[in-house]
Amino acid sequence: MIKILGLRKKFGHHEVLKGINLEVMPSEVLVVVGPSGSGKSTLLRCINGLEHATEGRIFIEGTDITDSRTDINVVRQKVGMVFQSFNLFPHLTALRNVTLAPIKVKKMNPDEAIEKALKLLDKVGLRDKANAYPAHLSGGQQQRVAIARALAMDPDVMLFDEVTSALDPELVKEVLDTMKDLAREGMTMIVVTHEMGFAKEVGDRLIFMDEGRIVEEGRPEKVFTQPEHPRTKEFFSKILSHI
């Protein structure tokens, strides 16, 4: 589904990603963990074309998105992304937030878009909030609308960038449950998260990043309990009580 070769990303003289090589299989749930500043979010943003790679190549379903001839907007339709800060349009209802891209980008018939959006809001447990504005929704509800909005474009892969870190603890579960449902349905997912319980339960594979590199990868259970790299051991020794 995704193949990354020698990915480097610099911001000025600061190199954030230092030669990432990674493959993600169809229907795989890849969990990305690591300390703040390790390059996790930048990796997602490069996969979605929000940041341009300084070096290296990124293939999504065989298409090289780092090739200047590639129409990134066409590829991006296959890659849904959900952000930490929701990024809903505040002046639009939940329903309009979900229907906007299918109507504007895919030129979907408005009635069809509404029907589809209502099904997706039902899927994330929010059909009754279809006409509510973001300001009248809890953080957890806004994040679930954001997931429905991403799904409205029928993506082949979903990217989640620390989507629960801005939520109150009691709202985290409802968002994670929605993500678990997607995983069970076979959605290919890359999840940057601090939720180690979720990583352990749902992740097929876990990569640990530090200072712009993939330091360790493997089955979540194995990386948690038998980390091999000293930096991984140090990281998990501090958070084992949360797993």
Side-chain angles (χ1 to χ4, degrees):
M1 184 69 77
I2 296 173
K3 187 171 186 175
I4 300 172
L5 300 171
L7 175 62
R8 294 180 179 273
K9 176 62 184 176
K10 288 183 179 179
F11 294 99
H13 295 295
H14 180 49
E15 191 169 37
V16 179
L17 297 176
K18 303 173 182 176
I20 299 292
N21 294 296
L22 182 66
E23 291 188 4
V24 183
M25 299 297 126
S27 298
E28 182 176 21
V29 179
L30 177 70
V31 179
V32 185
V33 302
S36 297
S38 58
K40 306 183 300 294
S41 293
T42 301
L43 174 61
L44 289 193
R45 292 174 68 84
C46 285
I47 294 171
N48 198 35
L50 293 172
E51 299 288 354
H52 297 293
T54 305
E55 285 182 33
R57 302 173 78 184
I58 302 171
F59 297 88
I60 297 178
E61 295 183 315
T63 300
D64 184 355
I65 70 166
T66 56
D67 188 327
S68 60
R69 294 166 295 183
T70 298
D71 186 342
I72 189 64
N73 290 320
V74 172
V75 179
R76 195 178 281 147
Q77 290 179 35
K78 302 178 180 180
V79 183
M81 187 158 180
V82 185
F83 301 86
Q84 178 180 336
S85 54
F86 320 140
N87 289 358
L88 296 179
F89 295 107
H91 63 292
L92 300 180
T93 63
L95 182 64
R96 288 279 290 125
N97 264 281
V98 178
T99 60
L100 186 65
I103 292 172
K104 295 284 187 183
V105 179
K106 286 196 163 185
K107 310 302 181 187
M108 186 180 283
N109 176 286
D111 290 339
E112 288 179 23
I114 289 170
E115 183 181 352
K116 181 175 185 176
L118 288 171
K119 287 179 180 176
L120 287 170
L121 288 171
D122 193 35
K123 183 187 187 80
V124 300
L126 289 173
R127 190 180 181 114
D128 61 326
K129 301 291 185 182
N131 295 315
Y133 288 87
H136 299 134
L137 300 173
S138 71
Q141 289 171 332
Q142 289 186 61
Q143 197 57 290
R144 284 185 285 155
V145 172
I147 292 172
R149 180 176 64 178
L151 291 173
M153 293 297 286
D154 293 319
D156 295 333
V157 59
M158 287 280 285
L159 310 178
F160 295 89
D161 189 10
E162 297 189 10
V163 296
T164 59
S165 60
L167 301 178
D168 292 333
E170 67 267 26
L171 301 177
V172 169
K173 183 179 182 299
E174 63 191 43
V175 175
L176 292 181
D177 284 348
T178 299
M179 293 167 66
K180 289 175 187 176
D181 288 343
L182 286 178
R184 279 192 287 268
E185 292 168 9
M187 174 64 74
T188 307
M189 298 162 59
I190 304 178
V191 184
V192 171
T193 186
H194 294 296
E195 298 291 336
M196 298 304 159
F198 173 87
K200 193 174 179 181
E201 180 183 349
V202 182
D204 296 307
R205 186 161 49 109
L206 180 146
I207 62 172
F208 176 76
M209 291 184 66
D210 186 51
E211 296 185 350
R213 294 184 173 89
I214 295 175
V215 175
E216 191 159 344
E217 68 176 285
R219 297 283 300 176
E221 182 73 36
K222 184 177 186 301
V223 179
F224 286 152
T225 58
Q226 298 173 305
E228 296 177 3
H229 194 280
R231 185 66 184 93
T232 320
K233 290 178 182 178
E234 178 190 10
F235 181 83
F236 284 121
S237 70
K238 295 175 181 176
I239 59 171
L240 273 175
S241 58
H242 299 290
I243 300 176

